[in-house]
Amino acid sequence: MLDDFLTRAALAGLGVALAAGPLGCFIVWRRMAYFGDATAHAALLGVALALALSISVFAGVLAVVLVLALAVSGLSARGVPVDTLLGVFAHGGLAVGLVVVSLLPGARVDLMGLLLGDILAVGRTDLAVIWAGAALVIGLLAWRWSGLLTATLNADLARASGIDARREDMILTLALALVVAVALKVVGALLISAMLIVPAATVRPLARTPESMAVLAAICGAAAALGGIALSYRADTPTGPTIVAVATALFAVSAILPRRG
């Protein structure tokens, strides 16, 4: 029988994987890897905001990520290169967040836990937040799947089909914000982007349809989460990085497999 903390860790990892896998497919299809990095790094500023205002970390991270998305959208429309904006927000958000957290009076913050995750410390309340967030993300993707997929394939086709591509982009951004907020406890700000991208990239050569790729990405992420927790427990290694290392190993295996015609 597994210890309670391992059971909670496994359930937390599964919850994040089930949401991050399908969402990561859109990140890969749209080549938004850097956006995922910027979002995850800026999450630390959300933590600082939550501590300063005495609100929940989930709410603080969600608010900062949504402001980031709106800022990128608005400034890019004024001609500022998107990659430049994402670079500024990624590193600036991470740096400012670390500085603010260190300056908060009386705040006891585990910076390593924020950066690399602390899945073994997940409690029942954390589990409820993770699974509620995962369910909301999966529901959003299922509800808007056709519109999101069409807008991803071709913005002109989306407009011709009566689909508001900008609205679909905002829905995708909201889903990304939710995943970042719930995954912070599991893998930390520095590794969230990896859990979005690596499982989707791993199964891409194996999938025949977008739907099958989303399902396989969720399964791959779940396998990485459970395998990483087991390996971390046996080898006494940091759990968040170990989960990502297992996901990367799965990607390496996928990369060397012969491609089907």
Side-chain angles (χ1 to χ4, degrees):
M1 183 68 180
L2 290 175
D3 293 329
D4 285 344
F5 77 94
L6 283 178
T7 302
R8 290 194 296 270
L11 289 173
L14 284 175
V16 170
L18 292 177
L23 180 60
C25 293
F26 285 99
I27 303 298
V28 169
W29 291 331
R30 291 178 174 229
R31 300 181 181 180
M32 291 172 60
Y34 204 14
F35 187 84
D37 272 334
T39 303
H41 290 178
L44 198 60
L45 182 56
V47 174
L49 177 66
L51 294 174
L53 299 179
S54 299
I55 59 176
S56 73
V57 171
F58 179 83
V61 171
L62 192 61
V64 166
V65 172
L66 290 176
V67 169
L68 165 67
L70 291 172
V72 170
S73 177
L75 291 173
S76 62
R78 297 174 59 181
V80 183
V82 174
D83 58 343
T84 300
L85 289 171
L86 293 177
V88 170
F89 285 123
H91 304 299
L94 179 62
V96 173
L98 288 171
V99 170
V100 172
V101 166
S102 70
L103 293 176
L104 289 175
R108 299 179 61 186
V109 181
D110 179 10
L111 289 179
M112 288 301 292
L114 289 174
L115 294 175
L116 301 178
D118 193 9
I119 190 173
L120 297 182
V122 167
R124 294 180 183 274
T125 302
D126 296 318
L127 269 182
V129 171
I130 288 170
W131 276 92
L136 187 54
V137 169
I138 293 170
L140 274 173
L141 293 180
W143 172 47
R144 299 303 309 167
W145 180 264
S146 179
L148 284 169
L149 192 57
T150 303
T152 297
L153 293 174
N154 191 307
D156 292 332
L157 177 62
R159 283 191 292 270
S161 303
I163 296 171
D164 186 346
R166 186 177 179 86
R167 180 190 61 194
E168 303 303 325
D169 288 345
M170 290 308 300
I171 290 173
L172 188 63
T173 300
L174 174 60
L176 180 60
L178 285 169
V179 167
V180 169
V182 301
L184 191 66
K185 183 80 171 181
V186 176
V187 291
L190 297 182
L191 302 176
I192 292 172
S193 185
M195 284 304 291
L196 284 165
I197 298 166
V198 178
T202 299
V203 304
R204 190 174 191 177
L206 310 175
R208 292 293 190 183
T209 64
E211 291 78 12
S212 66
M213 181 172 165
V215 172
L216 288 173
I219 294 172
C220 179
L226 296 179
I229 292 169
L231 182 60
S232 170
Y233 182 69
R234 291 181 178 275
D236 193 24
T237 55
T239 309
T242 305
I243 290 173
V244 176
V246 170
T248 305
L250 292 175
F251 172 79
V253 171
S254 172
I256 63 176
L257 288 176
R259 297 289 187 264
R260 293 181 297 181

